[in-house]
Each structure stands twice: as C-alpha cells, then as structure tokens.
Amino acid sequence: MKKVEFKKFTPKSVFKTIMYFMIIPSSLCIIGGLIALLVGVATGDSATIGFAVVIMLLYPLMFIGLYGLFGMLYAVVYNALAQRFGGLEVMIEEEDDTIEIENAFNQ
C-alpha cells in the first residue's frame, strides 16, 4: 500500500467538483419546478406558480452558487491548515496488472 497526502486543493477545482455534484439534484428540482409551473398555469393557482418559481427554479441556482462559494472557502481554510498541521492522508493499494497480462499471453 502506498500512502498519499493531499497538501493543497485549488479553490477553482473544488468549485468545479461541487458544480458536477450539484448538476443532478439541481436539474431534478428545475424539472419539478417546470412541471409545477405548468400545473399552476393550467389551474390558475397563483400559490403553485409562486412555489414553482421561487422554490423549485430559483433555489437550485442559488444553492449551486452558495455551495460553490463555501467549497472554495473550505479549500482556502484547508490549504492553510494543511500547511501547518499536515494534509489528509489516504492509503492507496496498487494492483499489478502486468502479471495478469503476462499470464493471459502465456496461456
């Protein structure tokens, strides 16, 4: 096993990672908001229209931005603390694929 230590995360990469993780839940909320908006327009219910626009359409976009900004802040704090106290240590086990390939050719 090999020990690897993460000493630094760039805030930009953390922001991009959070964006990738937020795509699916935000898309589902936006799709649900569009459906609720159509139902509200079809029935003429202003409460449903307001719910759809505010909660289901605007909140996912706001949360993507907030989660991204907080993630960038966490990366900056992590980088400062990792320089002082050490970074996150991860144990990685490497598999030797060359033996399997050699065995496949020898058979």
Side-chain angles (χ1 to χ4, degrees), residues 48-104:
T48 305
I49 294 172
F51 169 78
V53 170
V54 173
I55 294 180
M56 300 298 277
L57 295 177
L58 295 180
Y59 276 0
L61 300 175
M62 184 179 72
F63 282 136
I64 288 174
L66 284 175
Y67 284 144
L69 290 175
F70 279 122
M72 291 171 66
L73 177 64
Y74 294 151
V76 170
V77 171
Y78 174 84
N79 292 339
L81 293 175
Q83 287 178 357
R84 182 173 174 103
F85 300 111
L88 180 66
E89 293 181 1
V90 180
M91 300 295 284
I92 297 176
E93 184 176 340
E94 294 183 22
E95 294 183 13
D96 192 10
D97 293 335
T98 58
I99 296 172
E100 293 176 16
I101 294 171
E102 289 174 4
N103 288 340

Side-chain angles (χ1 to χ4, degrees), residues 19-58:
M19 296 293 282
Y20 296 144
F21 283 123
M22 289 299 295
I23 286 174
I24 293 174
S26 296
S27 299
L28 292 175
C29 281
I30 290 172
I31 290 170
L34 291 174
I35 292 170
L37 183 64
L38 290 175
V39 168
V41 169
T43 60
D45 185 15
S46 61
T48 305
I49 294 172
F51 169 78
V53 170
V54 173
I55 294 180
M56 300 298 277
L57 295 177
L58 295 180

